[in-house]
Amino acid sequence: QTSDGETRLFGMPFSDEKSMWQLSWPMPEQQALQTAASPELLRQEALRRCRELHDPIPAIIAAAPPHLLSGYPAYDRPAMSPEELCPEAGLESG
C-alpha cells in the first residue's frame, strides 16, 4: 500500500506473475462517471496520477491491459457515531 497524500494504491499478489491492485483518488462525481465509462480514459488517468510514485508502481499501471481495468465512483461520508453504528447498544435490557 502506498499513497502520495491524494492518490492511494493497494496491491495484493496472487502469485509470482499475477497480482491485483486498487487505485483510488478524489474526483468530482461527473468526471468520475465519465472516466469510469472508458477503460482507456481510466488507464490514462491512473498513469497520470502514478507517474511520480516510487518504482515499480508506474510500470505496474502501464503493464495493465485496459480491458482488465474497471472503475466506479466511491463516496465519502461523515463518520457515523457509535449510536448510528449500533442503535441497539444504547437500549437497556430488562
Coordinates of all heavy atoms in Angstrom, one line a residue:
Q1 N 0.9 -1.2 0.0 CA 0.0 0.0 0.0 C 0.9 1.2 0.0 O 1.9 1.3 0.7 CB -0.9 0.0 1.2 CG -1.8 1.1 1.3 CD -2.8 1.0 2.4 OE1 -3.5 0.0 2.5 NE2 -3.0 2.0 3.2
T2 N 0.5 2.2 -0.8 CA 1.2 3.5 -0.8 C 0.3 4.6 -1.1 O -0.8 4.4 -1.7 CB 2.4 3.4 -1.8 OG1 3.3 4.5 -1.6 CG2 1.9 3.4 -3.2
S3 N 0.7 5.8 -0.8 CA -0.1 7.0 -1.0 C 0.8 8.2 -1.2 O 1.8 8.3 -0.5 CB -1.1 7.2 0.1 OG -1.9 8.4 -0.1
D4 N 0.4 9.1 -2.0 CA 1.1 10.4 -2.1 C 0.3 11.5 -1.4 O 0.6 12.7 -1.5 CB 1.3 10.8 -3.6 CG 0.0 11.1 -4.4 OD1 -1.1 11.0 -3.7 OD2 0.1 11.3 -5.6
G5 N -0.7 11.1 -0.6 CA -1.5 12.1 0.1 C -2.8 12.3 -0.5 O -3.7 12.8 0.1
E6 N -2.9 12.0 -1.8 CA -4.2 12.1 -2.5 C -4.6 10.8 -3.2 O -5.7 10.3 -3.2 CB -4.1 13.3 -3.5 CG -5.4 13.5 -4.3 CD -5.4 14.7 -5.1 OE1 -5.7 15.8 -4.6 OE2 -5.1 14.6 -6.3
T7 N -3.6 10.3 -4.0 CA -3.8 9.0 -4.7 C -3.3 7.9 -3.8 O -2.2 7.9 -3.3 CB -3.1 9.0 -6.0 OG1 -3.6 10.1 -6.8 CG2 -3.3 7.8 -6.8
R8 N -4.1 6.8 -3.7 CA -3.8 5.7 -2.8 C -3.8 4.4 -3.7 O -4.8 4.2 -4.4 CB -4.8 5.6 -1.7 CG -4.6 4.4 -0.8 CD -5.7 4.3 0.2 NE -5.8 3.0 0.8 CZ -6.4 1.9 0.2 NH1 -7.1 2.1 -0.9 NH2 -6.5 0.7 0.8
L9 N -2.8 3.6 -3.5 CA -2.7 2.3 -4.2 C -2.6 1.2 -3.2 O -1.7 1.3 -2.3 CB -1.5 2.3 -5.2 CG -1.4 1.0 -6.0 CD1 -1.4 1.2 -7.5 CD2 -0.2 0.2 -5.5
F10 N -3.4 0.2 -3.4 CA -3.3 -1.0 -2.6 C -3.1 -2.1 -3.6 O -3.8 -2.2 -4.6 CB -4.6 -1.2 -1.8 CG -4.7 -2.6 -1.2 CD1 -4.0 -2.9 0.0 CD2 -5.5 -3.6 -1.8 CE1 -4.1 -4.2 0.5 CE2 -5.6 -4.9 -1.3 CZ -4.9 -5.1 -0.1
G11 N -2.1 -3.0 -3.3 CA -1.9 -4.1 -4.2 C -1.8 -5.4 -3.4 O -1.5 -5.4 -2.2
M12 N -2.1 -6.5 -4.1 CA -2.1 -7.8 -3.5 C -1.6 -8.9 -4.5 O -2.3 -9.0 -5.5 CB -3.5 -8.2 -2.9 CG -3.4 -9.5 -2.2 SD -4.9 -9.9 -1.3 CE -6.1 -10.1 -2.6
P13 N -0.5 -9.5 -4.3 CA 0.0 -10.6 -5.2 C -0.9 -11.8 -5.1 O -1.3 -12.2 -4.0 CB 1.4 -10.8 -4.8 CG 1.5 -10.4 -3.4 CD 0.4 -9.3 -3.2
F14 N -1.1 -12.5 -6.2 CA -1.8 -13.8 -6.2 C -0.8 -14.9 -6.5 O -1.0 -16.0 -6.1 CB -2.9 -13.8 -7.2 CG -4.1 -13.0 -6.9 CD1 -4.5 -12.0 -7.7 CD2 -4.8 -13.1 -5.7 CE1 -5.6 -11.1 -7.4 CE2 -5.8 -12.3 -5.3 CZ -6.2 -11.3 -6.2
S15 N 0.3 -14.6 -7.2 CA 1.3 -15.5 -7.5 C 2.6 -14.7 -7.9 O 2.5 -13.4 -7.8 CB 0.9 -16.4 -8.7 OG 0.9 -15.7 -9.9
D16 N 3.6 -15.3 -8.3 CA 4.8 -14.6 -8.8 C 4.5 -13.8 -10.0 O 5.2 -12.8 -10.3 CB 6.0 -15.5 -9.1 CG 6.5 -16.2 -7.8 OD1 6.3 -15.6 -6.7 OD2 7.2 -17.2 -7.9
E17 N 3.5 -14.1 -10.8 CA 3.2 -13.5 -12.1 C 1.9 -12.7 -12.1 O 1.7 -11.9 -13.0 CB 3.2 -14.5 -13.2 CG 4.5 -15.2 -13.4 CD 4.5 -16.3 -14.4 OE1 3.4 -16.4 -15.1 OE2 5.4 -17.0 -14.5
K18 N 1.1 -12.9 -11.1 CA -0.2 -12.2 -11.1 C -0.5 -11.5 -9.8 O -0.2 -12.0 -8.8 CB -1.4 -13.2 -11.4 CG -1.2 -13.8 -12.8 CD -2.5 -14.5 -13.2 CE -2.3 -15.2 -14.5 NZ -3.1 -14.6 -15.5
S19 N -1.1 -10.3 -10.0 CA -1.5 -9.5 -8.8 C -2.7 -8.7 -9.1 O -3.1 -8.6 -10.3 CB -0.3 -8.7 -8.3 OG 0.0 -7.7 -9.3
M20 N -3.3 -8.2 -8.1 CA -4.4 -7.2 -8.3 C -4.0 -5.9 -7.6 O -3.2 -5.9 -6.7 CB -5.7 -7.7 -7.9 CG -6.0 -7.6 -6.4 SD -6.4 -5.9 -5.9 CE -7.4 -6.2 -4.6
W21 N -4.5 -4.8 -8.1 CA -4.2 -3.6 -7.5 C -5.5 -2.7 -7.5 O -6.3 -2.9 -8.4 CB -3.0 -2.8 -8.0 CG -3.0 -2.7 -9.5 CD1 -2.3 -3.5 -10.4 CD2 -3.6 -1.6 -10.3 NE1 -2.5 -3.0 -11.7 CE2 -3.3 -1.9 -11.6 CE3 -4.4 -0.5 -10.0 CZ2 -3.7 -1.1 -12.7 CZ3 -4.8 0.3 -11.1 CH2 -4.4 0.0 -12.4
Q22 N -5.6 -1.9 -6.5 CA -6.8 -1.0 -6.4 C -6.2 0.4 -6.2 O -5.4 0.7 -5.4 CB -7.6 -1.4 -5.3 CG -8.7 -0.4 -5.0 CD -9.5 -0.8 -3.7 OE1 -9.4 -2.0 -3.3 NE2 -10.2 0.1 -3.1
L23 N -6.7 1.4 -7.0 CA -6.2 2.7 -7.0 C -7.4 3.6 -6.7 O -8.5 3.4 -7.3 CB -5.6 3.1 -8.4 CG -4.9 4.3 -8.6 CD1 -3.6 4.4 -7.6 CD2 -4.4 4.5 -10.0
S24 N -7.2 4.6 -5.8 CA -8.3 5.5 -5.5 C -7.8 6.9 -5.4 O -6.6 7.1 -5.0 CB -9.1 5.1 -4.2 OG -8.2 5.1 -3.1
W25 N -8.7 7.9 -5.7 CA -8.3 9.3 -5.7 C -9.6 10.1 -5.7 O -10.6 9.6 -6.1 CB -7.4 9.7 -6.8 CG -8.0 9.6 -8.2 CD1 -8.9 10.5 -8.8 CD2 -7.9 8.5 -9.1 NE1 -9.2 10.0 -10.0 CE2 -8.7 8.8 -10.2 CE3 -7.2 7.3 -9.1 CZ2 -8.8 8.0 -11.3 CZ3 -7.3 6.4 -10.1 CH2 -8.1 6.8 -11.3
P26 N -9.6 11.3 -5.1 CA -10.7 12.2 -5.2 C -10.9 12.8 -6.5 O -10.0 13.1 -7.2 CB -10.4 13.3 -4.1 CG -9.0 13.3 -4.0 CD -8.5 11.9 -4.4
M27 N -12.2 12.9 -6.9 CA -12.6 13.4 -8.2 C -14.0 13.8 -8.2 O -14.8 13.1 -7.6 CB -12.3 12.3 -9.3 CG -12.7 12.7 -10.7 SD -12.3 11.3 -11.9 CE -10.6 11.7 -12.3
P28 N -14.4 14.9 -8.9 CA -15.9 15.2 -8.9 C -16.7 14.1 -9.5 O -16.2 13.4 -10.4 CB -15.9 16.5 -9.8 CG -14.5 17.1 -9.7 CD -13.6 15.9 -9.5
E29 N -17.9 13.9 -9.0 CA -18.7 12.7 -9.4 C -18.9 12.6 -10.9 O -18.7 11.5 -11.5 CB -20.0 12.8 -8.8 CG -20.9 11.6 -9.1 CD -22.3 11.6 -8.4 OE1 -22.8 12.7 -8.1 OE2 -22.8 10.5 -8.3
Q30 N -19.2 13.7 -11.6 CA -19.5 13.6 -13.1 C -18.2 13.2 -13.8 O -18.2 12.4 -14.7 CB -20.0 14.9 -13.6 CG -21.5 15.1 -13.3 CD -22.4 13.9 -13.8 OE1 -22.9 13.2 -12.9 NE2 -22.5 13.7 -15.0
Q31 N -17.1 13.7 -13.4 CA -15.8 13.4 -14.1 C -15.5 11.9 -13.8 O -15.0 11.2 -14.6 CB -14.7 14.3 -13.6 CG -13.4 14.1 -14.2 CD -12.3 15.0 -13.7 OE1 -12.5 15.8 -12.9 NE2 -11.1 14.8 -14.2
A32 N -15.8 11.5 -12.6 CA -15.5 10.1 -12.2 C -16.4 9.1 -13.0 O -15.9 8.1 -13.5 CB -15.8 9.8 -10.7
L33 N -17.6 9.5 -13.2 CA -18.5 8.6 -14.1 C -18.0 8.6 -15.5 O -18.0 7.5 -16.1 CB -19.9 9.2 -14.0 CG -20.6 9.0 -12.6 CD1 -21.9 9.8 -12.6 CD2 -20.9 7.5 -12.4
Q34 N -17.6 9.7 -16.1 CA -17.1 9.7 -17.4 C -15.8 8.9 -17.5 O -15.6 8.1 -18.5 CB -16.8 11.2 -17.9 CG -18.1 11.9 -18.1 CD -17.8 13.4 -18.3 OE1 -16.8 13.9 -18.0 NE2 -18.8 14.1 -18.9
T35 N -14.9 9.1 -16.6 CA -13.6 8.3 -16.6 C -13.9 6.8 -16.5 O -13.3 6.0 -17.2 CB -12.7 8.9 -15.5 OG1 -12.5 10.3 -15.7 CG2 -11.3 8.2 -15.5
A36 N -14.7 6.5 -15.6 CA -15.0 5.1 -15.3 C -15.7 4.4 -16.5 O -15.5 3.2 -16.7 CB -15.9 4.9 -14.1
A37 N -16.3 5.1 -17.4 CA -17.0 4.6 -18.5 C -16.1 4.1 -19.6 O -16.5 3.4 -20.5 CB -18.0 5.6 -19.1
S38 N -14.8 4.5 -19.6 CA -13.9 4.2 -20.6 C -12.6 3.6 -20.0 O -11.9 4.3 -19.3 CB -13.5 5.4 -21.4 OG -12.3 5.2 -22.2
P39 N -12.4 2.3 -20.2 CA -11.1 1.7 -19.7 C -9.9 2.5 -20.1 O -8.9 2.6 -19.3 CB -11.1 0.3 -20.2 CG -12.6 0.0 -20.4 CD -13.2 1.3 -20.8
E40 N -9.8 3.0 -21.3 CA -8.6 3.7 -21.8 C -8.5 5.1 -21.0 O -7.4 5.4 -20.6 CB -8.7 3.9 -23.3 CG -7.4 4.5 -23.8 CD -6.1 3.8 -23.4 OE1 -6.1 2.6 -23.4 OE2 -5.1 4.5 -23.1
L41 N -9.6 5.8 -20.8 CA -9.6 7.0 -20.0 C -9.1 6.7 -18.6 O -8.3 7.5 -18.0 CB -10.9 7.7 -20.0 CG -11.3 8.5 -21.2 CD1 -12.7 9.1 -21.1 CD2 -10.3 9.6 -21.5
L42 N -9.6 5.6 -18.0 CA -9.3 5.2 -16.7 C -7.8 4.9 -16.6 O -7.1 5.4 -15.7 CB -10.1 4.0 -16.3 CG -10.1 3.6 -14.9 CD1 -10.6 4.7 -13.9 CD2 -11.0 2.3 -14.7
R43 N -7.3 4.2 -17.6 CA -5.8 3.9 -17.6 C -5.0 5.2 -17.7 O -4.0 5.3 -17.0 CB -5.6 3.0 -18.8 CG -4.2 2.5 -18.9 CD -4.0 1.5 -20.1 NE -2.7 1.0 -20.2 CZ -1.7 1.6 -20.8 NH1 -1.9 2.7 -21.4 NH2 -0.5 1.1 -20.8
Q44 N -5.4 6.1 -18.6 CA -4.6 7.3 -18.8 C -4.6 8.1 -17.5 O -3.6 8.7 -17.1 CB -5.2 8.2 -19.9 CG -5.0 7.6 -21.3 CD -5.8 8.4 -22.3 OE1 -6.3 9.4 -22.1 NE2 -5.9 7.8 -23.5
E45 N -5.7 8.2 -16.8 CA -5.8 8.9 -15.5 C -4.9 8.3 -14.5 O -4.2 8.9 -13.7 CB -7.3 9.1 -15.0 CG -7.4 9.9 -13.8 CD -7.1 11.4 -14.0 OE1 -7.1 11.9 -15.1 OE2 -6.9 12.0 -12.9
A46 N -5.0 6.9 -14.4 CA -4.2 6.2 -13.4 C -2.7 6.4 -13.7 O -1.9 6.7 -12.8 CB -4.5 4.7 -13.5
L47 N -2.3 6.4 -15.0 CA -0.9 6.6 -15.4 C -0.5 8.0 -15.0 O 0.6 8.3 -14.5 CB -0.7 6.4 -16.9 CG -0.7 4.9 -17.3 CD1 -0.8 4.8 -18.8 CD2 0.5 4.2 -16.8
R48 N -1.3 9.0 -15.2 CA -1.0 10.4 -14.9 C -0.8 10.6 -13.4 O 0.1 11.2 -13.0 CB -2.2 11.3 -15.4 CG -1.8 12.8 -15.2 CD -3.0 13.7 -15.6 NE -4.1 13.6 -14.6 CZ -4.1 14.2 -13.4 NH1 -3.0 14.9 -13.0 NH2 -5.1 14.1 -12.6
R49 N -1.7 10.0 -12.6 CA -1.6 10.1 -11.2 C -0.5 9.4 -10.6 O 0.0 9.7 -9.5 CB -3.0 9.7 -10.5 CG -4.1 10.7 -10.8 CD -5.4 10.2 -10.2 NE -6.3 11.3 -10.4 CZ -6.5 12.3 -9.5 NH1 -5.7 12.4 -8.5 NH2 -7.4 13.2 -9.7
C50 N 0.0 8.3 -11.2 CA 1.0 7.4 -10.6 C 2.4 7.7 -11.2 O 3.4 7.0 -10.8 CB 0.6 6.0 -10.8 SG -0.8 5.5 -9.8
R51 N 2.5 8.6 -12.1 CA 3.8 8.7 -12.8 C 5.0 9.1 -11.8 O 6.1 8.8 -12.1 CB 3.7 9.7 -13.9 CG 3.5 11.2 -13.6 CD 3.5 12.1 -14.8 NE 3.1 13.4 -14.3 CZ 1.9 14.0 -14.6 NH1 1.0 13.4 -15.3 NH2 1.7 15.2 -14.1
E52 N 4.6 9.8 -10.7 CA 5.7 10.2 -9.8 C 5.8 9.3 -8.6 O 6.6 9.5 -7.7 CB 5.4 11.6 -9.3 CG 5.3 12.7 -10.4 CD 6.7 12.9 -11.0 OE1 7.7 12.9 -10.3 OE2 6.7 13.2 -12.3
L53 N 5.0 8.2 -8.5 CA 5.1 7.3 -7.4 C 6.4 6.4 -7.6 O 6.9 6.3 -8.7 CB 3.9 6.4 -7.3 CG 2.6 7.2 -6.9 CD1 1.4 6.2 -6.9 CD2 2.7 7.9 -5.6
H54 N 6.8 5.8 -6.5 CA 8.0 5.0 -6.5 C 7.9 3.8 -7.4 O 6.8 3.3 -7.6 CB 8.4 4.6 -5.1 CG 7.4 3.8 -4.4 ND1 7.3 2.5 -4.5 CD2 6.4 4.2 -3.5 CE1 6.3 2.0 -3.8 NE2 5.7 3.0 -3.2
D55 N 9.0 3.3 -7.9 CA 9.1 2.1 -8.6 C 8.6 0.9 -7.7 O 8.9 0.9 -6.5 CB 10.5 1.8 -9.2 CG 10.9 2.8 -10.3 OD1 10.0 3.3 -10.9 OD2 12.1 3.0 -10.5
P56 N 8.0 -0.1 -8.2 CA 7.6 -0.3 -9.6 C 6.2 0.1 -10.0 O 5.6 -0.4 -11.0 CB 7.7 -1.9 -9.7 CG 7.2 -2.3 -8.4 CD 7.7 -1.2 -7.4
I57 N 5.6 1.0 -9.2 CA 4.2 1.4 -9.4 C 3.9 1.9 -10.8 O 3.0 1.4 -11.5 CB 3.7 2.3 -8.3 CG1 3.6 1.5 -7.0 CG2 2.3 2.9 -8.7 CD1 3.4 2.4 -5.8
P58 N 4.6 2.8 -11.4 CA 4.3 3.3 -12.7 C 4.3 2.1 -13.8 O 3.5 2.1 -14.7 CB 5.3 4.4 -13.0 CG 5.7 4.9 -11.7 CD 5.7 3.7 -10.8
A59 N 5.3 1.2 -13.6 CA 5.4 0.1 -14.6 C 4.2 -0.9 -14.4 O 3.7 -1.4 -15.4 CB 6.7 -0.6 -14.4
I60 N 3.8 -1.1 -13.2 CA 2.7 -2.0 -12.9 C 1.4 -1.4 -13.6 O 0.7 -2.1 -14.3 CB 2.4 -2.2 -11.4 CG1 3.6 -3.0 -10.8 CG2 1.1 -2.8 -11.1 CD1 3.6 -3.0 -9.3
I61 N 1.2 -0.1 -13.4 CA 0.0 0.5 -14.0 C 0.1 0.5 -15.5 O -0.9 0.1 -16.2 CB -0.1 2.0 -13.6 CG1 -0.2 2.1 -12.0 CG2 -1.4 2.7 -14.2 CD1 -1.3 1.5 -11.3
A62 N 1.3 0.8 -16.1 CA 1.5 0.8 -17.5 C 1.3 -0.6 -18.1 O 0.8 -0.7 -19.3 CB 2.9 1.3 -17.9
A63 N 1.6 -1.6 -17.4 CA 1.5 -3.0 -17.9 C 0.1 -3.6 -17.9 O -0.2 -4.6 -18.5 CB 2.5 -3.9 -17.1
A64 N -0.8 -2.9 -17.2 CA -2.2 -3.4 -17.1 C -2.9 -3.2 -18.4 O -3.1 -2.1 -18.9 CB -2.9 -2.7 -15.9
P65 N -3.4 -4.3 -19.0 CA -4.2 -4.2 -20.2 C -5.5 -3.4 -19.9 O -6.2 -3.7 -18.9 CB -4.5 -5.6 -20.6 CG -3.6 -6.5 -19.8 CD -3.3 -5.7 -18.6
P66 N -5.9 -2.4 -20.7 CA -7.1 -1.6 -20.5 C -8.3 -2.5 -20.3 O -9.2 -2.2 -19.5 CB -7.2 -0.7 -21.7 CG -5.8 -0.6 -22.2 CD -5.1 -1.9 -21.9
H67 N -8.5 -3.6 -21.0 CA -9.7 -4.4 -21.0 C -9.8 -5.1 -19.6 O -10.9 -5.6 -19.3 CB -9.8 -5.4 -22.1 CG -8.8 -6.6 -22.0 ND1 -7.5 -6.5 -22.4 CD2 -9.0 -7.8 -21.5 CE1 -6.9 -7.6 -22.1 NE2 -7.8 -8.5 -21.6
L68 N -8.8 -5.1 -18.8 CA -8.9 -5.7 -17.4 C -9.1 -4.6 -16.3 O -9.2 -4.9 -15.2 CB -7.6 -6.5 -17.1 CG -7.4 -7.7 -17.9 CD1 -6.1 -8.4 -17.5 CD2 -8.5 -8.7 -17.8
L69 N -9.2 -3.4 -16.7 CA -9.5 -2.3 -15.8 C -10.9 -2.0 -15.6 O -11.7 -2.1 -16.6 CB -8.8 -1.0 -16.2 CG -7.2 -1.1 -16.4 CD1 -6.7 0.3 -16.9 CD2 -6.6 -1.5 -15.2
S70 N -11.3 -1.7 -14.4 CA -12.7 -1.2 -14.2 C -12.6 -0.1 -13.1 O -11.7 0.0 -12.3 CB -13.6 -2.4 -13.7 OG -13.1 -2.9 -12.4
G71 N -13.6 0.7 -13.2 CA -13.7 1.8 -12.2 C -15.1 2.3 -11.9 O -16.0 2.0 -12.7
Y72 N -15.2 2.9 -10.8 CA -16.6 3.4 -10.4 C -16.4 4.4 -9.3 O -15.4 4.3 -8.5 CB -17.5 2.2 -10.0 CG -16.8 1.3 -9.0 CD1 -16.9 1.5 -7.6 CD2 -16.1 0.2 -9.5 CE1 -16.2 0.6 -6.8 CE2 -15.5 -0.7 -8.6 CZ -15.6 -0.5 -7.2 OH -14.9 -1.3 -6.4
P73 N -17.3 5.3 -9.1 CA -17.2 6.3 -8.0 C -17.4 5.6 -6.7 O -18.2 4.7 -6.5 CB -18.3 7.3 -8.3 CG -18.7 7.1 -9.7 CD -18.4 5.7 -10.0
A74 N -16.6 6.0 -5.7 CA -16.8 5.7 -4.3 C -17.1 7.0 -3.6 O -16.6 8.0 -4.0 CB -15.6 5.0 -3.7
Y75 N -18.0 6.9 -2.6 CA -18.4 8.1 -2.0 C -18.0 8.2 -0.5 O -18.1 7.2 0.2 CB -19.9 8.2 -2.0 CG -20.4 8.2 -3.5 CD1 -20.8 7.1 -4.1 CD2 -20.5 9.4 -4.2 CE1 -21.2 7.1 -5.4 CE2 -20.9 9.4 -5.5 CZ -21.3 8.2 -6.1 OH -21.7 8.3 -7.4
D76 N -17.4 9.4 -0.1 CA -17.1 9.6 1.3 C -18.3 10.2 2.0 O -19.1 10.8 1.4 CB -15.9 10.6 1.4 CG -14.6 10.1 1.0 OD1 -14.4 8.9 1.1 OD2 -13.8 10.9 0.5
R77 N -18.3 9.9 3.2 CA -19.4 10.5 4.1 C -18.9 10.7 5.4 O -17.8 10.1 5.8 CB -20.6 9.6 4.1 CG -20.4 8.2 4.6 CD -21.6 7.4 4.6 NE -21.8 6.8 6.0 CZ -22.9 6.3 6.4 NH1 -23.9 6.3 5.6 NH2 -22.9 5.9 7.6
P78 N -19.5 11.5 6.2 CA -19.0 11.8 7.6 C -19.0 10.4 8.4 O -19.9 9.6 8.2 CB -20.0 12.7 8.2 CG -20.7 13.4 7.0 CD -20.7 12.3 5.9
A79 N -18.1 10.4 9.3 CA -18.1 9.2 10.2 C -19.4 9.1 11.0 O -19.9 10.1 11.4 CB -16.9 9.3 11.1
M80 N -19.8 7.8 11.2 CA -21.0 7.6 12.0 C -20.7 7.5 13.5 O -19.6 7.1 13.8 CB -21.6 6.2 11.5 CG -22.1 6.3 10.1 SD -22.8 4.6 9.6 CE -24.3 4.6 10.5
S81 N -21.6 8.0 14.3 CA -21.5 7.9 15.7 C -21.7 6.5 16.2 O -22.3 5.7 15.4 CB -22.5 8.8 16.4 OG -23.8 8.3 16.2
P82 N -21.2 6.1 17.4 CA -21.5 4.8 17.9 C -23.0 4.4 17.9 O -23.4 3.3 17.6 CB -20.9 4.8 19.3 CG -19.8 5.9 19.2 CD -20.4 6.9 18.2
E83 N -23.8 5.4 18.2 CA -25.3 5.2 18.2 C -25.8 4.9 16.9 O -26.7 4.1 16.7 CB -26.0 6.4 18.8 CG -25.7 6.7 20.3 CD -24.4 7.3 20.5 OE1 -23.8 7.9 19.6 OE2 -23.9 7.2 21.7
E84 N -25.3 5.5 15.8 CA -25.7 5.3 14.5 C -25.2 3.9 14.0 O -25.9 3.2 13.3 CB -25.2 6.3 13.5 CG -25.8 7.7 13.7 CD -25.1 8.8 12.9 OE1 -23.9 8.8 13.0 OE2 -25.9 9.5 12.2
L85 N -24.0 3.5 14.4 CA -23.5 2.2 14.0 C -24.2 1.0 14.7 O -24.5 0.0 14.1 CB -22.0 2.1 14.4 CG -21.1 2.9 13.5 CD1 -19.7 2.9 14.2 CD2 -21.0 2.3 12.1
C86 N -24.6 1.2 15.9 CA -25.3 0.1 16.7 C -26.3 0.7 17.6 O -26.1 0.9 18.8 CB -24.2 -0.6 17.5 SG -24.9 -2.1 18.2
P87 N -27.5 1.0 17.0 CA -28.5 1.7 17.9 C -29.0 0.8 19.0 O -29.3 1.3 20.1 CB -29.7 1.8 16.9 CG -29.2 1.7 15.5 CD -27.9 0.9 15.7
E88 N -28.9 -0.5 18.9 CA -29.3 -1.5 20.0 C -28.4 -1.3 21.2 O -28.8 -1.7 22.3 CB -29.3 -2.9 19.5 CG -30.2 -3.2 18.4 CD -29.7 -2.8 17.0 OE1 -28.4 -2.6 16.8 OE2 -30.5 -2.6 16.1
A89 N -27.2 -0.9 21.0 CA -26.2 -0.8 22.1 C -26.7 0.2 23.2 O -26.4 0.1 24.4 CB -24.8 -0.4 21.7
G90 N -27.5 1.2 22.8 CA -28.0 2.2 23.7 C -29.2 1.8 24.5 O -29.6 2.4 25.4
L91 N -29.8 0.6 24.1 CA -31.0 0.2 24.8 C -30.7 -0.6 26.1 O -29.7 -1.3 26.1 CB -31.8 -0.8 23.9 CG -32.3 -0.2 22.6 CD1 -33.0 -1.3 21.7 CD2 -33.3 1.0 22.8
E92 N -31.5 -0.3 27.1 CA -31.3 -1.1 28.3 C -32.1 -2.4 28.2 O -33.1 -2.5 27.7 CB -31.9 -0.3 29.5 CG -31.1 1.0 29.8 CD -31.5 1.7 31.0 OE1 -32.0 1.0 31.9 OE2 -31.4 2.9 31.1
S93 N -31.4 -3.5 28.8 CA -32.1 -4.7 28.8 C -33.1 -4.8 30.0 O -32.8 -4.2 31.0 CB -31.2 -5.9 28.9 OG -29.9 -5.6 28.9
G94 N -34.1 -5.6 29.8 CA -34.9 -5.6 31.0 C -36.2 -6.1 30.7 O -37.2 -6.4 30.4

